Amino acid sequence: MAENTYLIRGAAILGGDAEDLLIRDGVIEARGKDLAAEGATVIDAAGLVALPGMVDVHTHLREPGREDAETVETGTRAAALGGFTAVHAMANSNPVADTAGVVEQVHSLGRASGWVDVRPVGAVTVGLAGERLAELGAMADSRAQVRMFSDDGICVHDPVLMRRALEYVKAFDGVVAQHAQEPRLTAGAQMNEGTVSAVLGLTGWPAVAEESIIARDVLLAQHVGSRLHVCHVSTAGSVEIVRWAKARGINVTAEVTPHHLLLTDELVRSYDPVYKVNPPLRTDADVQALREGLADGTIDVVGTDHAPHPSEHKECEWAQAAMGMTGLETALSVVQETMIETGLMTWADFARVTSFTPAVIGRVADQGRPLEVGEPANVILVDPAARWTVDPHKMATMGRNSPFKGKELPGSVVATFFKGHPTVLDGKLNTPYRYPAVSSING
């Protein structure tokens, strides 16, 4: 049997015509009908959709320092099962990823795990404190080659500091990913400000707290001529501001999470902290606006904002509970339900918002590539007809805080090929990719 050679038979490429894909030594060697390759491992993909591996611009892997919530190993296992071949690991670890040393550690942990490509996100400010810029240039020049910077979880609320960050990253084609939350408008906030918060007596989180920061930052990006990315857009007003900015040629991109495409603040009536998240679940009108914004390209990508927490941080009173939800292993299914099965998008559109565009935003050259001859073989096979019920205790992530627990979702990842190696087969973890040994200068 030829090692590292796989023949995928009869997959619907991006949901279109059924074709074969021949993968050899990490590259798509051939694509077409009735392909043959002596000794190749044959995978029957009839009825399956072939897509480029998904790229997540927004993942919390927690390591270093918060291994009680997640590790790079467990988080990337979850990512592979979810159909991802690359994830961007947010900076709010402990220590914070605000130096070349920490981002290189995260990068090395990702390579050692071998399940997906781990791209560290560098902090914008030292310690996420919002007082002075972190070592942006050093992180960009490190072995991790950081191109995305974010204080996610905390807004860079100082406009002067935000301007300086946007100016700085221009030098190496970087992007600042902003967590849009005006802190003075959200002090003590527990959920979306609206009818439900008034009934429950919980301090509200107004939409304007998000929208005002986005409005300010798109103008700063225009002034500086730099790239801005808006994390987890959650309101109808935010969609309109991004649409306005793009119409004027401002270099802004935006993401939406799967949970904001499906869930609303009505769920908070249960007082179940699994529904506590930042930004909060919004209204049905916001959900519909987010879906429309993703469909028409105003929102560029889906980012999971995978945020695992130890059980004790979620199984407590609402006010004391941590904010965040897991998302890597449910993202594909939720997007299929909200966007594809509603007719708003096709599988080709899905590839655009989960793979092609995220790779461009993160400047990940060998990810998010077309399924064409000569391209890196980062490929997933999806069964769109499958149905499964979410059980957090059966997931690879350490986090049990899935808001979709007990819900039946469509679609499942049957196989994930990372650099031509099957990390997932038959819907189960196979083996990780092993990077070639690096020879020393002295041999």
Side-chain angles (χ1 to χ4, degrees):
M1 182 176 292
E3 290 187 13
N4 305 318
T5 304
Y6 300 88
L7 179 56
I8 299 171
R9 286 200 179 281
I13 309 297
L14 271 59
D17 294 338
E19 295 185 60
D20 302 342
L21 291 174
L22 178 61
I23 296 173
R24 193 192 306 272
D25 296 329
V27 174
I28 298 175
E29 185 175 278
R31 170 181 166 177
K33 302 280 190 179
D34 302 320
L35 298 182
E38 185 176 352
T41 300
V42 178
I43 297 175
D44 181 4
L48 305 183
V49 177
L51 299 164
M54 295 164 66
V55 177
D56 191 6
V57 294
H58 194 148
T59 305
H60 296 274
L61 295 180
R62 303 305 191 197
E63 192 175 10
R66 300 173 63 187
E67 291 84 358
D68 59 329
E70 190 80 283
T71 65
V72 171
E73 174 71 22
T74 60
T76 55
R77 282 173 174 248
L81 285 166
F84 292 91
T85 52
V87 298
H88 289 73
M90 282 295 172
N92 59 343
S93 52
N94 184 19
V96 171
D98 57 4
T99 66
V102 177
V103 296
E104 287 185 351
Q105 179 185 357
V106 174
H107 181 251
S108 295
L109 287 167
R111 289 176 66 89
S113 294
W115 296 104
V116 302
D117 185 6
V118 175
R119 309 291 298 186
V121 175
V124 176
T125 68
V126 175
L128 310 180
E131 296 174 354
R132 56 193 175 94
L133 292 182
E135 299 177 4
L136 308 184
M139 288 187 279
D141 292 339
S142 71
R143 288 192 300 273
Q145 296 182 328
V146 176
R147 289 296 179 270
M148 179 177 285
F149 300 85
S150 181
D151 279 3
D152 182 64
I154 303 173
C155 179
V156 182
H157 61 88
D158 183 332
V160 175
L161 202 60
M162 186 63 180
R163 173 183 175 173
R164 298 301 177 223
L166 289 166
E167 290 172 334
Y168 202 114
V169 301
K170 281 183 64 178
F172 40 79
D173 192 28
V175 63
V176 178
Q178 176 68 293
H179 174 109
Q181 177 191 351
E182 169 51 57
R184 295 187 66 184
L185 290 174
T186 55
Q190 295 289 313
M191 65 169 297
N192 178 57
E193 181 178 286
T195 302
V196 180
S197 66
V199 170
L200 299 181
L202 293 174
T203 302
W205 190 308
V208 69
E210 174 175 304
E211 296 158 6
S212 59
I213 293 294
I214 297 174
R216 181 200 74 178
D217 286 354
V218 295
L219 293 175
L220 285 175
Q222 180 183 41
H223 180 70
V224 172
S226 188
R227 291 201 295 141
L228 170 71
H229 179 72
V230 184
C231 296
H232 42 51
V233 167
S234 71
T235 77
S238 294
V239 176
E240 286 304 311
I241 294 167
V242 173
R243 186 175 284 123
W244 176 90
K246 287 189 170 188
R248 282 152 183 77
I250 300 173
N251 198 351
V252 57
T253 55
E255 74 189 42
V256 63
T257 72
H259 50 268
H260 284 113
L261 289 171
L262 183 58
L263 309 177
T264 74
D265 61 353
E266 289 291 336
L267 291 165
V268 181
R269 293 181 187 272
S270 68
Y271 285 104
D272 186 342
V274 76
Y275 300 120
K276 188 175 182 181
V277 67
N278 179 352
L281 300 179
R282 304 289 189 179
T283 67
D284 183 67
D286 292 309
V287 168
Q288 300 309 317
L290 292 169
R291 292 183 185 184
E292 292 169 9
L294 184 62
D296 69 20
T298 300
I299 299 174
D300 301 83
V301 299
V302 174
T304 69
D305 195 9
H306 174 77
H309 290 289
S311 296
E312 60 268 24
H313 293 178
K314 278 293 191 176
E315 295 174 0
C316 57
E317 293 182 5
W318 179 277
Q320 279 70 50
M323 295 180 179
M325 301 169 168
T326 60
L328 286 170
E329 292 165 85
T330 51
L332 182 143
S333 294
V334 174
V335 177
Q336 179 178 332
E337 177 173 317
T338 58
M339 302 302 297
I340 295 177
E341 295 192 347
T342 57
L344 290 171
M345 292 174 63
T346 65
W347 282 111
D349 295 324
F350 177 93
R352 170 174 53 82
V353 301
T354 64
S355 184
F356 299 145
T357 306
V360 171
I361 292 171
R363 297 299 192 253
V364 189
D366 59 349
Q367 294 280 350
R369 303 296 302 166
L371 300 185
E372 301 289 353
V373 173
E375 295 288 359
N378 297 307
V379 183
I380 62 174
L381 300 176
V382 175
D383 181 357
R387 293 292 185 272
W388 62 289
T389 300
V390 179
D391 182 350
H393 293 280
K394 293 181 178 179
M395 290 181 167
T397 175
M398 290 171 61
R400 301 291 175 249
N401 51 308
S402 171
F404 308 111
K405 177 182 177 180
K407 179 176 174 57
E408 185 180 81
L409 292 175
S412 66
V413 177
V414 176
T416 301
F417 286 84
F418 173 47
K419 297 182 181 293
H421 175 79
T423 54
V424 174
L425 284 174
D426 296 322
K428 299 179 177 62
L429 287 170
N430 182 36
T431 56
Y433 172 81
R434 291 306 177 200
Y435 287 84
V438 179
S439 300
S440 65
I441 295 176
N442 297 322

